[in-house]
Amino acid sequence: MTDQELFKELTKRQILTAATANKILKEADLSGSSAENMLYEQRLVDDVAVAKVKSELIGAPYKKIEPSSISDDLLKVIPREVSQNYKVVPIERSRDLLVVGMLRPDDQRAQETLKFIAKQLRVSLGVYIVTPSDLAAVWRRYAPYSSEIEAAVKEMGAVVNREEGIVSLEEGAASAEDAPIIKIVATTLRQAVEILASDIHIEPQRKRLRIRFRVDGKLEEAVSLPTALSQPVLSRVKVLAKLRLDETRIPQDGRFRTIIAGRDIDYRVSTFPTPNGEKVAIRVLDPTTGLKGLKEIGLSDYNFRILNEAVEAPYGMVLITGPTGSGKSTTLYAIMQKINLPDENIVSLEDPVEYFMEGINQSQVRPEIGYDFASGLREILRQDPDVIMVGEIRDAETAGLAVNAALTGHMMLSTLHTNNALGVVPRLIDLGVPGFLLTSSLNLMLAQRLVARLCPNCKKPAVASAEAQKVIGETLENLPVELKKEIKVKPPYQIYHAEPDPNCKICKGKGVVGRIALFEIFKMTKELGEIISSGFTESKLAVEARRQGMVTLREDGILKVLEGTVLLEEVIKETE
């Protein structure tokens, strides 16, 4: 099955638009890459839908994998390197049969590798089609990070006393310590990708070197190393990021790129001097997890329809607001993915560029040389743009230029710092934008928050308490009439809570896995324009939001609670 055959069928079934299919096929042809891989990387379709189409075209059945059902012994049948290179994973094994999952069952090289493994084991082969997301979930089950690090430390002849943090080196070991240090750093970088960590913190303490990962917004200690390894590990990271090894007095910033499991991963490195040595923070930028579709980030069908209408308009501003770390950039990238077509010139100004997107002209601002959002925005207008993305509106000059760009026929995407969607209008006016210009330039204001997503394996239903019943009931009562008709739940309301299973392979005993966003969307309407022009108050804005059917952050969260996606207490905490 060729990429052309697959894309033709996806277009025929309206899973993919003809314009997007042609764009990806052309890009793949020019770059020599797989069009199917590009389809997954850009998060343009549901990979399950693609797998089902491939199943019909190839004649191999599709199977949804449950990673927790795959034992550690079964994983050893196909080594991790082989699994990642050929996109295959073991699913089941009996005495005479090995069942595997393959991303591309018609891949000749993968077939030959599996036949060799089957011959060694003296078993027959059974094959299912699986999705990239299932493959990634299984890959996270392979070798534990801490055991690999301990093995590397032992290679150096280092003896670690975990309580005292003291290391003794065998005579002559220093001359052979480069390879283990390289392995420690490489394993740490790979582990961060496999557990979907957003950041790595390498922190020298008085009696140890601590390595922590930020997963789902929370820092978790992963391993503790001897203090003697602090400087070698730091130096290795600096070498990768091309930072000065002899400069330890001031912070430094760098970046490097590598390939892990067949994916381009970017690492942003920041060093910071402390009394115990330089601390390193590494931001992990994995396009397969950082780049998401609009539905993946948590948009309900109701909010998706509103946002979709706004981004398909020929011009106007779409502003996303929320605190630091609320997923604003992810939403911006998701919108750009959607409108990234061959007939659109999309130009972005970012600080910094987090994910490189094919087909989008991305530029990183450098305030230290005078190239900031305001000056960059002036230059962008000379680049014949259709869509402009500015990472953040921070000052009056940028705000004025952004409004002007929207008024002159451009789609403008950006972020702003306010508490909610209603705060966008007063914030822009505070930045000096005349109120009458907002009516013509502003299309949509979107606010968001991130909350932990319940593990599907560990969540348990329960009837909500009397107090929770009251909160849920009052919230549902305030929903827009159109949305109320779609709600099927009745009191007493059932909610879900986490009962973490220490043996759960999905959440590793945490009870939650990943995060999902809560949204509220406030539209520019004729009525809102009149309120702004006549002198608005917060209460008038709230009345207009209710009139136009805005679902608040709290309401969107409660709906996700009833779906069993998030915890009630998390929603209440984030939307107080």
Side-chain angles (χ1 to χ4, degrees):
M1 179 193 67
T2 64
D3 283 339
Q4 285 78 8
E5 290 171 336
L6 174 61
F7 276 53
K8 181 179 179 181
E9 191 63 27
L10 291 174
T11 305
K12 180 181 175 182
R13 300 189 188 201
Q14 298 184 333
I15 296 172
L16 199 61
T17 65
T20 303
N22 290 332
K23 169 181 172 285
I24 294 176
L25 286 169
K26 285 179 183 176
E27 289 175 358
D29 186 47
L30 288 170
S31 64
S33 305
S34 160
E36 186 182 344
N37 277 350
M38 292 176 70
L39 188 66
Y40 297 134
E41 288 168 3
Q42 296 181 28
R43 300 289 179 128
L44 295 172
V45 293
D46 177 14
D47 56 10
V48 173
V50 177
K52 289 179 178 177
V53 170
K54 286 168 60 179
S55 174
E56 293 181 28
L57 292 176
I58 298 175
Y62 160 71
K63 183 178 180 67
K64 170 71 178 171
I65 298 180
E66 184 54 65
S68 59
S69 67
I70 302 174
S71 68
D72 293 339
D73 287 338
L74 183 55
L75 285 174
K76 295 174 184 176
V77 170
I78 300 179
R80 176 169 57 189
E81 290 73 17
V82 172
S83 175
Q84 293 178 339
N85 285 338
Y86 297 104
K87 307 293 188 295
V88 299
V89 290
I91 298 177
E92 297 172 16
R93 183 186 175 183
S94 62
R95 194 174 73 175
D96 303 317
L97 180 68
L98 173 64
V99 179
V100 299
M102 302 180 69
L103 184 63
R104 297 187 186 85
D106 53 351
D107 183 334
Q108 196 65 37
R109 290 172 62 244
Q111 288 178 9
E112 290 171 1
T113 301
L114 287 174
K115 286 175 183 176
F116 176 79
I117 291 173
K119 186 177 179 181
Q120 294 288 100
L121 298 172
R122 298 181 181 178
V123 294
S124 301
L125 274 174
V127 175
Y128 284 105
I129 289 178
V130 295
T131 63
S133 53
D134 281 347
L135 286 175
V138 175
W139 290 337
R140 291 195 288 274
R141 291 279 325 283
Y142 277 95
Y145 168 64
S146 56
S147 61
E148 290 193 34
I149 294 296
E150 286 176 11
V153 172
K154 286 178 182 176
E155 277 184 53
M156 302 176 66
V159 180
V160 182
N161 182 317
R162 290 188 177 275
E163 292 184 4
E164 298 298 329
I166 298 171
V167 59
S168 300
L169 296 178
E170 293 179 3
E171 188 176 355
S175 63
E177 67 183 9
D178 283 352
I181 290 296
I182 289 171
K183 184 175 182 181
I184 288 171
V185 174
T187 303
T188 299
L189 297 173
R190 187 182 66 212
Q191 173 72 1
V193 172
E194 292 181 353
I195 66 172
L196 308 182
S198 61
D199 301 87
I200 306 166
H201 291 257
I202 303 175
E203 304 163 316
Q205 308 292 300
R206 286 186 62 195
K207 295 185 177 181
R208 62 184 180 130
L209 175 66
R210 179 173 68 175
I211 297 180
R212 296 192 290 173
F213 296 119
R214 187 176 294 279
V215 181
D216 300 336
K218 295 181 180 178
L219 275 173
E220 303 170 354
E221 183 166 334
V223 71
S224 181
L225 298 175
T227 51
L229 299 187
S230 295
Q231 191 55 49
V233 168
L234 173 66
S235 296
R236 175 60 183 165
V237 174
K238 280 186 163 185
V239 167
L240 290 172
K242 295 181 172 60
L243 301 179
R244 287 183 56 184
L245 293 176
D246 60 343
E247 180 56 80
T248 61
R249 301 163 300 170
I250 60 174
Q252 295 187 70
D253 292 305
R255 187 171 192 153
F256 64 95
R257 199 174 188 180
T258 189
I259 295 176
I260 293 179
R263 309 198 300 274
D264 276 349
I265 310 295
D266 272 300
Y267 295 93
R268 255 188 11 234
V269 179
S270 172
T271 67
F272 187 77
T274 75
N276 298 315
E278 288 179 282
K279 174 190 181 301
V280 180
I282 306 174
R283 172 61 56 89
V284 182
L285 301 171
D286 181 355
T288 61
T289 57
L291 293 177
K292 298 180 180 180
L294 287 173
K295 287 294 185 70
E296 291 178 88
I297 60 179
L299 273 172
S300 65
D301 290 339
Y302 181 85
N303 280 334
F304 177 80
R305 290 193 294 268
I306 299 171
L307 179 58
N308 197 44
E309 182 182 340
V311 299
E312 288 186 350
Y315 60 88
M317 295 175 70
V318 173
L319 296 180
I320 302 170
T321 184
T324 301
S326 60
K328 299 187 296 296
S329 296
T330 300
T331 302
L332 275 180
Y333 279 112
I335 293 173
M336 288 197 292
Q337 288 271 46
K338 176 174 172 47
I339 59 180
N340 184 14
L341 296 172
D343 59 351
E344 297 282 352
N345 179 21
I346 304 175
V347 188
S348 76
L349 276 176
E350 305 176 46
D351 184 21
V353 174
E354 292 194 11
Y355 299 101
F356 296 99
M357 299 177 67
E358 193 69 33
I360 293 177
N361 303 292
Q362 297 170 270
S363 182
Q364 179 166 323
V365 298
R366 297 189 181 279
E368 67 273 14
I369 59 171
Y371 181 46
D372 55 16
F373 284 129
S375 62
L377 192 44
R378 287 194 201 92
E379 295 304 320
I380 279 182
L381 293 172
R382 299 172 187 167
Q383 290 289 318
D384 183 33
D386 297 300
V387 180
I388 301 169
M389 191 278 264
V390 175
E392 184 183 344
I393 294 177
R394 297 174 179 170
D395 52 49
E397 188 178 9
T398 307
L401 289 166
V403 168
N404 182 62
L407 288 171
T408 53
H410 304 91
M411 171 60 68
M412 168 63 65
L413 308 173
S414 191
T415 68
L416 202 64
H417 279 286
T418 66
N419 289 330
N420 52 38
L422 301 186
V424 171
V425 169
R427 176 62 179 146
L428 288 174
I429 290 177
D430 185 51
L431 287 171
V433 179
F436 67 89
L437 290 182
L438 293 180
T439 306
S440 306
S441 62
L442 193 54
N443 287 1
L444 200 75
M445 297 147 276
L446 181 151
Q448 64 183 79
R449 298 287 190 278
L450 286 179
V451 294
R453 189 194 296 261
L454 279 168
C455 173
N457 269 8
C458 299
K459 67 179 183 181
K460 303 295 180 187
V463 176
S465 66
E467 186 179 351
Q469 294 282 343
K470 182 181 178 183
V471 170
I472 294 169
E474 290 174 352
T475 302
L476 296 182
E477 186 60 35
N478 290 326
L479 287 175
V481 175
E482 179 186 345
L483 189 54
K484 272 185 188 178
K485 295 175 182 177
E486 300 175 13
I487 305 300
K488 306 298 182 186
V489 294
K490 302 290 181 185
Y493 302 110
Q494 179 176 272
I495 62 174
Y496 290 78
H497 59 277
E499 286 188 8
D501 177 359
N503 299 315
C504 179
K505 304 298 184 182
I506 296 178
C507 69
K508 313 294 185 193
K510 294 185 295 183
V512 295
V513 54
R515 291 185 292 174
I516 189 170
L518 312 180
F519 292 98
E520 65 180 23
I521 299 180
F522 192 25
K523 296 182 291 184
M524 176 55 69
T525 59
K526 179 183 175 182
E527 292 81 2
L528 177 56
E530 291 173 354
I531 291 171
I532 294 171
S533 301
S534 62
F536 66 88
T537 62
E538 188 175 335
S539 60
K540 287 182 180 179
L541 293 177
V543 169
E544 166 55 20
R546 186 58 63 194
R547 185 205 64 77
Q548 65 177 242
M550 183 184 87
V551 176
T552 66
L553 289 167
R554 169 69 62 89
E555 290 164 356
D556 189 44
I558 292 297
L559 292 175
K560 288 181 169 74
V561 167
L562 295 173
E563 291 169 358
T565 308
V566 299
L567 291 165
L568 177 61
E569 50 267 37
E570 281 253 331
V571 170
I572 292 174
K573 176 186 173 184
E574 289 295 330
T575 59
E576 284 179 340

